[in-house]
Amino acid sequence: MSGLLTVLEKMHAARTGYARPLRRFRHHHLVDEPLVIVPLKLAGEAAAPLGCAVGTDPDEPVLLTVPQPRNRDLQHAFFTDLAHVVLGYVAARQGETEEVVPRGGEPRLRYADAPQILVPNRPALDHLGLTGRLTRFQETEDDVPLLGRWLTFFADRAEYPGSSLALALTDLLTAQWATGQSDLEDANLAMLLAWICPPEGTTGAAAAQVAENPLDFPPAGPATDPDFDGLVLQPAVQGYDRAVDAGDPVAAARAEAKVREAVTSQLMPTWRLMWKGLRRLRELPEAAGCEQRWAADRDRFTRHVDRIAEGGPPQPRHDHAVAAAARLATLERAQSRFEAQQAVDDPFVLAELRTTGEAFGGTVVAGEPDRTEVTAKGRTVLRPRLTVRTEDPVRVDDDQAYVCPDRPKQNVRIREIAEDESGCLLVLDVVSGMGTVKKPVPIPEPGETVRYTRVPPQWGGQDFPAPEETPWTHGGPPPGSEEPQGAEQ
Amino acid sequence: MDSLNTRLAALRGGTSPVGFSARTIAGLNENPGCARRALLDASGADKDRIGARVGFPGRFGQSPFALARGRVFEEQIKANGAAQLLRLLREKLGLTIEEAAYLPLEDVGDNTGRELRARHTTAQLLRAAREGDDAGTLFDHPMLRLRVAGCTAYLEPDLVAFQVGGRFHVVEIKSFAVIDGQVDGEQVTAAARQAAVYVLALRELLADHGLDPETVSHEVLLVTPADFTNRPVVSLIDVRKQLAAVRRVLARMSRVETLLDALPEGVSFDLAPDDDGDPTRDPAELAAALHQIPARYRPGCRAHCELAAFCRDEARCADSLDVFGPAVGGMLGGVDTVCAALGLAEGTRAPAEDEAEIARALRHAETLRSGLG
Ligand code: SF4
């Protein structure tokens, strides 16, 4: 969301020097044991791995490094090691199952648990996607192609609004807090966290300035600091090359340790920030809607496990034009549902929507709880009506049903808007959850303060097509074309 | 013109001028409204060293790994008389490979001075254009010229291809990967901007000699590696939009005199280098000189301008909304500072006439905010 309320909180953050909360709840489920991955790649290459810190224990990351990232064999060794960690983690989530009986559908089993991958930022998620693309088609007997399929799965899920299977820490933090800096600076994990949890005795603003120095706070990746590349990494890698060329295994081992030390120096600060940010996020209460979204994630996870077990092929290369369009529509639906759910769950989000007129609130000034209407079929039904005075810039959408978070079962529609000298009067018809003429359910009474937001769209069977149906993509031109999309500005 | 050059040189002071490149010309486009950058670039001032001198060193290093990757890919494409490239172009443009020639323009005898090379390039390109013969020719490392703010900028496109149909195409070789036909949009845009500068320079060259500038195609050939390999692919990119933008910014640069006129007497960015070339200019004085020229900071500056840290600090000290980026400024249309925005929201500041609407919206938002507790 980026309405006036967010802007205002940014102003307040700038004035006070501390980040300001944008939400009362956390809207992404966090598991007890996420797999944190901090990947680094070699500059100038699409996806040549330089190293990564990975693991579930903040005190004991698995550190993987590649002494010569351009060497395909060394790359493969890295992927094998990474596969060991990632696939082991994924396998450990496939224990307990639960039975789900959908209304009118076949009962099915789904895992009670699911994996959760946490990376520093969006580019890191993209990098996992590229790594998945690079490895899933490899024709090796080991686990590397399988790693590719899982990484592709995670990168794909990361694009679904509301999914918590693969998350970027900067996304989670910026959803939760407003800082006094720009979005570009918020994308820098060290600067962002500095605003949110500054060291004792300094303001967030001051801490962020300090955190901008890449010497003390190496970039969170996947790209490394160019100065580090030139001054530290390049000499180390060249040393390794020389030792290998000279056929000197002792020197090669020493040189390899040097590269490892260099890369580790860039990984560890970010690794620590990851856990610091995670700790902070865990302190926040989880929103009610998380449970249902996480269940959908577990469903998706279960289906992917099944697909692999059945010997299905890896996710295809291209999105077909039709599938890509369908996928886009699905993502938009997921986005709008996620937003609507957050507004129901979280007063901050609802308030933000009131600034744009998508939600509204005010005081009930009149009510007709006994009002009835005669339907086209001649039946008399209860249609209570209430009038609400609001100062919100309400955008009227006739087809839209609204709900008050305090009365989740009762939906209303806007019947009429009338302006008067002190704001506007909304005439609302209660269209569901009002009970019957004989057994009416109470509606808000005059004098009561009410808030209404859009009713979240229902979950539909086709809402979350599997990645193999609409595979991972960065979004681009239709398949078959060899060229990148035209360079429109 | 000369008086303009003298005035610009005086602004720069005793340092030797930093020339324009396609990248810096394209960079002007990133923030065309910034007078500070326009004047500094027009005068050939060294923004990098100026930034460092006033206490805000920029970080514009490129990784040696990225540079090496670019070099290796270009060498590979151009090896054996650009064999790989010719094959690709034949497919894309319909060149007949037997006829296509490869003409390196790097050296002119022993002398590789820029002006001499530019003249040599001009002669070769004009001959090709006039003969209009069917043979495709690849001109490697041509040296083109473009007038920017009354000065000559020397530009070196990767390649210029001359096609069978009598049209010139600029070829850009970039080492970022195209994966499954998809590529990072930002990188393509940057490449397109640079290529547009070359197209313009080529067109001017032809027009100056009475030839049809439209012979130079607005479709640029982008050569990139595909799918984690070194296999090159060619894409056609339409740069008309970027061409228009470059023209606009050059037109603005040609009016740099108006910007100069607006400057108070005696403003100079002289670094006053000593015998070793180290700057001796008083940093506070230099910073004061910079403050005299209006800037228009935006967070994106840090990707293309060496003064970004300086300008951000200036914007912060002025409590300016610019530090948040143009989107926030746009939403608060007309309100310039954090203090003013909060004043309107909290009702401690009376809105000006044109602020009535945004003031109402801000007060409404602030009421909602305080209602949340
Ligand atoms: S950094 Fe400053 S001088 Fe450079 S373009 Fe931005 S505002 Fe202008």
Side-chain angles (χ1 to χ4, degrees):
Chain A
M1 64 176 181
S2 60
L4 262 191
L5 209 64
T6 304
V7 170
L8 210 46
E9 293 293 7
K10 279 184 147 317
M11 310 280 121
H12 282 285
R15 180 156 78 180
T16 59
Y18 293 97
R20 304 269 327 164
L22 287 174
R23 279 162 166 72
R24 186 164 290 163
F25 296 95
R26 168 164 47 73
H27 296 264
H28 283 279
H29 174 63
L30 290 179
V31 302
D32 291 339
E33 209 177 56
L35 185 71
V36 172
I37 307 183
V38 179
L40 291 181
K41 70 171 194 109
L42 188 71
E45 305 286 331
L50 177 58
C52 82
V54 54
T56 54
D57 183 348
D59 298 321
E60 272 183 58
V62 177
L63 291 165
L64 305 173
T65 54
V66 188
Q68 171 45 280
R70 290 207 180 97
N71 180 311
R72 296 270 157 157
D73 294 336
L74 296 174
Q75 280 184 12
H76 197 85
F78 169 89
F79 292 137
T80 312
D81 291 343
L82 184 62
H84 182 73
V85 181
V86 173
L87 299 179
Y89 174 77
V90 167
R93 314 298 116 182
Q94 297 167 32
E96 255 178 77
T97 54
E98 60 188 28
E99 196 184 34
V100 192
V101 190
R103 222 183 302 158
E106 289 281 300
R108 64 175 189 276
L109 289 179
R110 80 172 156 222
Y111 289 114
D113 197 1
Q116 181 170 62
I117 304 255
L118 271 181
V119 298
N121 47 34
R122 277 270 137 191
L125 286 174
D126 292 342
H127 178 72
L128 288 192
L130 277 183
T131 307
R133 165 64 182 81
L134 174 63
T135 49
R136 73 181 186 266
F137 299 115
Q138 292 192 359
E139 288 165 4
T140 50
E141 291 298 316
D142 52 21
D143 281 339
V144 171
L146 193 55
L147 170 74
R149 295 176 67 166
W150 276 105
L151 291 182
T152 303
F153 170 78
F154 287 118
D156 179 68
R157 287 302 290 170
E159 294 189 9
Y160 282 86
S163 169
S164 296
L165 289 173
L167 296 165
L169 188 58
T170 49
D171 284 353
L172 291 174
L173 295 170
T174 48
Q176 221 70 45
W177 284 280
T179 69
Q181 64 191 1
S182 71
D183 294 352
L184 269 174
E185 285 141 344
D186 277 351
N188 176 328
L189 179 60
M191 291 178 76
L192 178 59
L193 261 181
W195 273 94
I196 297 164
C197 9
E200 194 111 3
T202 66
T203 65
Q209 288 215 27
V210 174
E212 196 168 22
N213 183 350
L215 291 180
D216 301 329
F217 293 84
T224 44
D225 177 34
D227 287 341
F228 162 77
D229 283 4
L231 299 173
V232 184
L233 186 59
Q234 193 183 37
V237 171
Q238 282 169 346
Y240 175 80
D241 285 344
R242 271 195 307 274
V244 171
D245 287 347
D248 181 345
V250 178
R254 220 181 305 130
E256 180 168 356
K258 263 218 144 110
V259 175
R260 188 177 170 80
E261 188 192 331
V263 174
T264 305
S265 76
Q266 301 297 290
L267 285 169
M268 282 314 286
T270 304
W271 174 262
R272 285 188 288 266
L273 288 180
M274 289 296 292
W275 292 95
K276 183 177 176 183
L278 195 56
R279 263 198 312 279
R280 185 71 187 86
L281 285 164
R282 280 186 170 142
E283 289 166 10
L284 302 167
E286 202 159 280
C290 282
E291 197 184 317
Q292 203 187 21
R293 288 192 290 271
W294 182 243
D297 276 336
R298 287 184 290 123
D299 262 327
R300 178 61 61 214
F301 168 59
T302 309
R303 299 235 291 266
H304 195 63
V305 171
D306 289 349
R307 187 174 162 82
I308 289 173
E310 287 157 8
Q315 302 93 330
R317 275 194 173 81
H318 283 295
D319 256 356
H320 292 290
V322 176
R327 181 186 150 85
L328 203 64
T330 303
L331 291 181
E332 273 168 16
R333 265 202 311 281
Q335 177 68 34
S336 119
R337 180 172 48 230
F338 185 39
E339 272 173 14
Q341 280 176 341
Q342 290 184 74
V344 172
D345 289 348
D346 194 324
F348 275 61
V349 181
L350 195 149
E352 173 77 329
L353 292 181
R354 284 176 65 179
T355 68
T356 54
E358 284 162 87
F360 57 88
T363 314
V364 180
V365 292
E368 301 171 57
D370 309 326
R371 187 176 164 276
T372 55
E373 261 176 25
V374 179
T375 64
K377 287 186 183 142
R379 242 167 17 98
T380 304
V381 293
L382 191 61
R383 273 284 175 278
R385 178 168 281 186
L386 48 141
T387 309
V388 172
R389 175 179 301 285
T390 182
E391 288 175 20
D392 299 344
V394 186
R395 260 197 306 187
V396 183
D397 182 349
D398 287 341
D399 298 331
Q400 182 62 56
Y402 294 88
V403 63
C404 171
D406 309 323
R407 294 171 167 28
K409 296 229 157 69
Q410 208 167 63
N411 292 358
V412 304
R413 280 178 201 278
I414 301 176
R415 173 67 52 196
E416 211 184 298
I417 289 198
E419 308 272 341
D420 78 354
E421 65 291 337
S422 61
C424 86
L425 292 172
L426 294 169
V427 178
L428 308 177
D429 277 1
V430 183
V431 293
S432 71
M434 75 301 268
T436 58
V437 179
K438 288 207 181 91
K439 277 177 78 182
V441 173
I443 62 163
E445 288 180 20
E448 235 181 272
T449 309
V450 289
R451 309 167 298 147
Y452 284 97
T453 184
R454 289 175 294 151
V455 175
Q458 286 304 302
W459 294 83
Q462 272 311 300
D463 277 345
F464 278 73
E468 50 273 20
E469 289 147 30
T470 55
W472 166 82
T473 167
H474 276 174
S481 66
E482 273 271 82
E483 59 243 59
Q485 202 148 41
E488 297 295 309
Q489 271 177 308
Chain B
M1 236 8 149
D2 269 354
S3 78
L4 174 61
N5 275 338
T6 321
R7 288 173 75 188
L8 287 172
L11 203 56
R12 183 182 75 241
T15 344
S16 54
V18 179
F20 274 102
S21 68
R23 204 179 63 79
T24 56
I25 296 171
L28 280 171
N29 258 318
E30 304 270 359
N31 194 352
C34 178
R36 182 174 296 164
R37 176 168 188 163
L39 268 177
L40 283 164
D41 280 356
S43 68
D46 188 335
K47 296 201 296 297
D48 196 19
R49 297 185 66 200
I50 290 176
R53 186 67 187 159
V54 295
F56 294 94
R59 300 188 174 276
F60 272 83
Q62 249 197 308
S63 165
F65 295 106
L67 293 173
R69 170 82 173 111
R71 219 166 31 238
V72 168
F73 185 65
E74 186 176 339
E75 274 165 19
Q76 172 205 329
I77 300 296
K78 290 184 177 172
N80 306 320
Q84 245 185 2
L85 185 63
L86 283 170
R87 184 180 51 75
L88 279 170
L89 293 185
R90 183 183 54 167
E91 287 161 18
K92 206 77 188 178
L93 295 177
L95 281 178
T96 349
I97 192 121
E98 295 80 13
E99 292 171 294
Y102 172 75
L103 193 61
L105 296 175
E106 242 149 339
D107 310 306
V108 190
D110 291 337
N111 195 332
T112 54
R114 291 192 300 186
E115 185 51 37
L116 201 67
R117 277 184 58 198
R119 265 187 265 148
H120 179 59
T121 296
T122 307
Q124 294 289 337
L125 289 176
L126 287 176
R127 180 179 315 153
R130 289 199 176 108
E131 282 173 5
D133 110 32
D134 262 3
T137 305
L138 274 177
F139 299 95
D140 193 7
H141 284 127
M143 179 68 80
L144 303 173
R145 282 174 296 206
L146 193 67
R147 298 290 287 176
V148 187
C151 306
T152 300
Y154 292 90
L155 312 167
E156 258 196 290
D158 291 329
L159 280 166
V160 173
F162 188 43
Q163 195 221 345
V164 203
R167 300 207 79 181
F168 287 103
H169 287 269
V170 167
V171 181
E172 275 277 279
I173 301 172
K174 293 284 174 199
S175 59
F176 54 78
V178 182
I179 291 161
D180 295 340
Q182 292 162 23
V183 76
D184 181 314
E186 263 176 54
Q187 286 179 308
V188 178
T189 305
R193 284 196 182 143
Q194 271 189 42
V197 176
Y198 299 135
V199 170
L200 199 65
L202 259 177
R203 285 188 172 176
E204 292 203 344
L205 184 153
L206 295 185
D208 284 349
H209 293 85
L211 293 168
D212 180 9
E214 295 298 312
T215 315
V216 184
S217 173
H218 59 256
E219 284 190 318
V220 164
L221 296 153
L222 180 65
V223 184
T224 48
D227 297 347
F228 313 106
T229 65
N230 288 326
R231 182 173 58 84
V233 287
V234 180
S235 331
L236 278 175
I237 310 180
D238 185 333
V239 299
R240 268 178 291 189
K241 212 172 181 166
Q242 288 79 6
L243 266 173
V246 174
R247 277 206 198 92
R248 275 197 298 277
V249 81
L250 288 180
R252 182 178 156 86
M253 290 302 275
S254 69
R255 292 190 304 269
V256 73
E257 216 151 358
T258 26
L259 298 177
L260 272 175
D261 292 343
L263 276 188
E265 205 58 37
V267 172
S268 148
F269 311 124
D270 197 349
L271 284 163
D274 61 15
D275 292 345
D276 299 329
D278 293 330
T280 63
R281 178 85 183 272
D282 175 37
E285 217 182 280
L286 186 57
L290 288 172
H291 287 310
Q292 300 266 9
I293 318 170
R296 197 203 264 176
Y297 173 76
R298 40 199 56 200
C301 282
R302 79 171 180 185
H304 62 81
C305 184
E306 294 86 342
L307 285 179
F310 174 83
C311 295
R312 183 180 63 184
D313 185 66
E314 180 188 63
R316 267 188 196 149
C317 293
D319 198 31
S320 164
L321 292 182
D322 289 345
V323 296
F324 298 107
V328 167
M331 275 179 82
L332 298 183
V335 182
D336 302 327
T337 63
V338 173
C339 183
L342 287 177
L344 291 175
E346 288 163 348
T348 53
R349 195 185 109 114
E353 212 173 293
D354 58 345
E355 288 172 347
E357 199 172 318
I358 184 68
R360 198 169 330 123
L362 278 169
R363 268 202 308 277
H364 177 244
E366 180 68 22
T367 314
L368 289 173
R369 206 184 77 90
S370 45
L372 290 168

